[in-house]
Amino acid sequence: MEKTVIAIDASGGDNAPTSVIGGVALAIDDKSIAADILLVGDSEIIERELEKANISKTAVSILHAPDIITPDEVPTTAVRRKKQSSIVVGTKAVKEGTASAFVSAGSTGALLSAATVYIGRAEGIERPALGVMLPNRSGFTLLIDCGANVDCKPAYLAQFAQMGSDYMSKIRGIKAPTVGLINIGTESEKGNTLVKEAYPLLEQAGVNFIGNVEAREVPLGKVDVAVCDAFVGNVLLKYTEGLATGLMGVIKDELLADPISKIGALLAKRGFKRVRKRFNHDDVGGAPFLGLKSLVVKAHGSSNANAIYGAIRQCDYFNKANVN
Amino acid sequence: MEKTVIAIDASGGDNAPTSVIGGVALAIDDKSIAADILLVGDSEIIERELEKANISKTAVSILHAPDIITPDEVPTTAVRRKKQSSIVVGTKAVKEGTASAFVSAGSTGALLSAATVYIGRAEGIERPALGVMLPNRSGFTLLIDCGANVDCKPAYLAQFAQMGSDYMSKIRGIKAPTVGLINIGTESEKGNTLVKEAYPLLEQAGVNFIGNVEAREVPLGKVDVAVCDAFVGNVLLKYTEGLATGLMGVIKDELLADPISKIGALLAKRGFKRVRKRFNHDDVGGAPFLGLKSLVVKAHGSSNANAIYGAIRQCDYFNKANVN
């Protein structure tokens, strides 16, 4: 098998470049990863960081991209103007075949915009979408779209269902993944205009559509793929963070409020550590932008080395699955 | 002060009539409640339940309504056809001045439909909305709309802001309640078409509008009133239930998975009990339908006696506040 190349944005994310180089170091040490690494960013900074991390210059390639697009810039404008940004240079490397996948912890909007312009949409897909792995009681649900499509046509939702189903079966190895349409009730006539019109399209989308799902059923693991527009998806995603933090805060407050419970909480430390581990997204490996001609993975803005490593592993796995 | 009358749907909800009569018994014992109780439902069943609960027939009034609208009926059709249902008879009692407020744990859609038809909208309000009290780390946030308006015009959202703000200041005693528009980012240009067009209207709505809020900030108590369309509101509401249940399930699984943590969990029992109490909605007293000429409170379908009692207290408080 020919070696594939994974391009990685060295400048994107709150902890770049240190976290990115740290993730690359973990990937280099992992002999199961078949791909070569191409770091995209300011070459001088990258070289300095590689040296600090004791990584030989021959272990990776570097693609110089001195500019950075920040998350507060208007995505389309930034992508048009900053041709030397790591996001534009990285997606172009995929377009030109220098790399087969691109990982970035930078601006979500700019990444999607650059990927759509340079890499292009897969056949039959009108809008690429961001799929996020939400932990549920027994595994993960792919919530799609959490990205840029905040105003959707019904047909987009049917395409999200297809993209999500495809991903979960190919990459996660789930046979006939169950697909649900997020709605306020389970009956087919429930919901707003968008989901009511999308429902029959999902029935004909060639996926294992099990109908509407209420949002309460998602954390309980009712479906493998949960479909919604990006406004709902993004709200749910952020709410998950807030609610988990809020709930854990209340538990902490109350367990420390009387001395016996406090001793109990101390004794249960190992159990709580396992709880945190189950809700730790680092191993998930970022969120795939689906519906593009090649794989682009959005890592969380606050990614640490382990999260970047997870994203690289995901690309490697995707490359291998696609070859087979 | 003249005595007011609160009408209560004796037939609505999963645990009716027992839970309803139980809630009424608690209200009768509570001498701080100034209102009289009017039970609406099948009079024969009500009389039997009153006897079982040892409530004197003279302590309450009864309005005979032999029919029941079930939650799976199409609301508008059911309201039009079942004139003898507890929901229609109860809202009519408010319209005719027999009662000043109505509490029901029955079908949300039918209750809203009947209330709009018989009680009517308050001046300047195009669509009544359901406000739900979500517990946050320090108190409660009113999430509005969680009801029937799944496809909204921007102007509706501005009216929800006004109704919610008004309620939180009058009934909850919060001065200049903070109002946020639920969005996927805090900048004013973020979001889908609906929220982008609603933003300037909320700025001019005469409320303490603090701008967009990300859903993650709601459980942390960032705002007193969180505004959204009913699709988003209902999805969030149900997701809250699912996520809290899922998270508590994971905590339980992991704390019981090793013997030391298990002992810790047992010792922390009192603390966990307080956690559950903080997330117990019973005392909140149901969800008010705002924007009507009179107060209508939707109690949760699974309400127990304590939840019904809370809803009665809320109506009583509202009556007193309105008089002053």
Side-chain angles (χ1 to χ4, degrees):
Chain A
M1 195 171 81
E2 210 187 322
K3 270 224 165 185
T4 51
V5 175
I6 301 168
I8 300 162
D9 180 353
S11 317
D14 310 337
N15 311 311
T18 313
S19 58
V20 178
I21 303 298
V24 168
L26 292 168
I28 292 171
D29 286 345
D30 182 346
K31 295 304 167 210
S32 76
I33 293 184
D36 283 335
I37 303 291
L38 174 67
L39 282 164
V40 185
D42 187 303
S43 58
E44 207 174 301
I45 295 173
I46 292 174
E47 281 171 17
R48 204 167 53 218
E49 285 289 326
L50 288 172
E51 208 177 301
K52 271 203 266 175
N54 276 323
I55 300 174
S56 151
K57 270 193 218 175
T58 58
V60 296
S61 309
I62 298 174
L63 199 54
H64 184 54
D67 263 4
I68 297 174
I69 296 175
T70 58
D72 54 299
E73 291 181 76
V74 177
T76 46
T77 318
V79 166
R80 209 165 45 235
R81 288 195 190 149
K82 292 190 166 172
K83 301 286 187 210
Q84 289 305 307
S85 62
S86 53
I87 284 179
V88 171
V89 173
T91 47
K92 270 188 166 172
V94 174
K95 175 202 176 188
E96 289 155 5
T98 313
S100 61
F102 182 48
V103 173
S104 174
S107 156
T108 308
L111 184 61
L112 179 59
S113 176
T116 309
V117 171
Y118 293 113
I119 298 174
R121 299 188 295 266
E123 216 187 300
I125 300 298
E126 289 171 273
R127 298 286 176 100
L130 186 69
V132 170
M133 288 291 186
L134 277 185
N136 62 44
R137 195 150 180 198
S138 53
F140 288 94
T141 298
L142 184 76
L143 184 69
I144 181 168
D145 180 22
C146 298
N149 305 302
V150 291
D151 289 300
C152 281
K153 292 181 187 168
Y156 300 171
L157 297 190
Q159 291 163 21
F160 299 164
Q162 291 165 334
M163 285 144 58
S165 178
D166 206 43
Y167 181 85
M168 290 303 270
S169 65
K170 277 192 188 154
I171 305 302
R172 296 272 155 181
I174 296 168
K175 271 186 197 158
T178 49
V179 177
L181 181 61
I182 290 189
N183 205 337
I184 58 171
T186 50
E187 304 86 348
S188 64
E189 74 280 3
K190 286 265 179 178
N192 57 14
T193 308
L194 174 66
V195 298
K196 277 193 273 192
E197 290 179 3
Y199 193 98
L201 303 181
L202 267 87
E203 285 184 308
Q204 296 153 24
V207 298
N208 184 11
F209 180 51
I210 63 158
N212 292 324
V213 283
E214 290 197 290
R216 88 176 93 215
E217 298 171 313
V218 173
L220 305 176
K222 179 81 179 280
V223 288
D224 298 313
V225 179
V227 173
C228 56
D229 69 54
F231 189 84
V232 170
N234 211 287
V235 162
L236 277 183
L237 191 63
K238 285 173 177 164
Y239 191 64
T240 306
E241 289 179 37
L243 193 63
T245 309
L247 186 57
M248 291 309 279
V250 167
I251 289 172
K252 196 179 166 185
D253 291 350
E254 295 300 350
L255 292 199
L256 299 182
D258 77 275
I260 311 283
S261 296
K262 199 172 172 176
I263 294 169
L266 280 171
L267 285 174
K269 221 171 176 177
R270 276 170 60 198
F272 278 116
K273 211 171 164 182
R274 287 191 297 269
V275 172
R276 268 195 302 278
K277 206 172 143 70
R278 294 235 328 234
F279 284 92
N280 182 346
H281 293 220
D282 291 355
D283 294 335
V284 173
F289 267 125
L290 301 175
L292 295 165
K293 279 184 190 144
S294 300
L295 181 64
V296 170
V297 172
K298 169 70 179 83
H300 199 288
S302 64
S303 287
N304 58 16
N306 217 29
I308 298 291
Y309 173 44
I312 297 171
R313 280 209 313 278
Q314 185 181 183
C315 291
D316 185 58
Y317 195 75
F318 186 85
N319 287 335
K320 287 172 183 163
N322 260 10
V323 167
N324 293 334
Chain B
M1 194 170 80
E2 210 187 320
K3 271 225 166 184
T4 52
V5 175
I6 300 169
I8 300 162
D9 180 354
S11 319
D14 310 338
N15 311 311
T18 313
S19 58
V20 178
I21 303 298
V24 168
L26 292 169
I28 292 171
D29 287 344
D30 182 345
K31 296 302 167 212
S32 75
I33 293 184
D36 283 336
I37 303 290
L38 174 67
L39 282 164
V40 185
D42 187 304
S43 56
E44 205 174 304
I45 295 173
I46 292 174
E47 281 171 17
R48 203 167 53 218
E49 286 289 326
L50 288 173
E51 206 177 302
K52 271 203 266 174
N54 275 322
I55 301 174
S56 149
K57 269 194 219 173
T58 58
V60 296
S61 310
I62 297 174
L63 199 54
H64 185 54
D67 262 4
I68 298 175
I69 296 176
T70 58
D72 53 299
E73 290 181 77
V74 177
T76 46
T77 317
V79 167
R80 208 167 44 236
R81 288 195 190 149
K82 293 190 166 172
K83 301 284 187 211
Q84 289 307 307
S85 63
S86 53
I87 285 180
V88 171
V89 173
T91 48
K92 271 188 166 172
V94 173
K95 176 202 175 189
E96 288 155 6
T98 314
S100 61
F102 182 48
V103 172
S104 175
S107 156
T108 308
L111 184 61
L112 179 59
S113 176
T116 309
V117 171
Y118 293 113
I119 299 174
R121 298 188 296 264
E123 216 188 301
I125 299 299
E126 287 170 276
R127 298 286 177 102
L130 187 69
V132 170
M133 289 291 188
L134 277 185
N136 61 45
R137 197 153 176 194
S138 53
F140 288 95
T141 297
L142 184 76
L143 184 68
I144 183 170
D145 180 22
C146 298
N149 305 301
V150 291
D151 289 301
C152 281
K153 291 181 187 169
Y156 300 171
L157 296 190
Q159 291 163 20
F160 298 164
Q162 291 165 334
M163 285 144 57
S165 179
D166 206 43
Y167 181 84
M168 289 303 270
S169 66
K170 277 191 188 152
I171 305 302
R172 295 273 155 181
I174 297 169
K175 271 185 196 160
T178 50
V179 177
L181 181 61
I182 289 190
N183 204 336
I184 58 171
T186 50
E187 304 86 348
S188 63
E189 75 280 4
K190 286 266 180 177
N192 57 13
T193 308
L194 173 66
V195 298
K196 278 193 273 191
E197 290 179 3
Y199 193 97
L201 304 181
L202 268 87
E203 286 185 306
Q204 296 153 25
V207 298
N208 184 12
F209 180 51
I210 64 158
N212 292 324
V213 284
E214 291 196 289
R216 86 175 94 214
E217 299 171 314
V218 173
L220 305 175
K222 178 82 179 280
V223 288
D224 298 312
V225 180
V227 173
C228 56
D229 69 55
F231 189 84
V232 169
N234 211 288
V235 162
L236 277 183
L237 191 64
K238 284 174 178 163
Y239 191 62
T240 306
E241 289 178 36
L243 194 62
T245 309
L247 187 57
M248 292 309 279
V250 167
I251 290 172
K252 195 178 167 188
D253 291 349
E254 293 301 348
L255 292 198
L256 299 182
D258 77 275
I260 312 283
S261 297
K262 198 171 172 177
I263 294 167
L266 280 171
L267 285 173
K269 220 170 176 178
R270 276 171 59 199
F272 279 116
K273 210 171 166 182
R274 286 191 298 269
V275 172
R276 268 195 302 277
K277 205 172 143 68
R278 293 233 332 233
F279 285 92
N280 183 346
H281 293 221
D282 291 354
D283 294 336
V284 173
F289 267 124
L290 300 175
L292 295 165
K293 279 184 190 144
S294 301
L295 182 64
V296 171
V297 171
K298 168 72 179 83
H300 199 291
S302 64
S303 287
N304 57 19
N306 217 27
I308 298 291
Y309 172 44
I312 297 171
R313 282 208 314 278
Q314 185 182 184
C315 291
D316 185 57
Y317 195 75
F318 186 87
N319 286 334
K320 288 171 184 164
N322 260 10
V323 168
N324 292 334

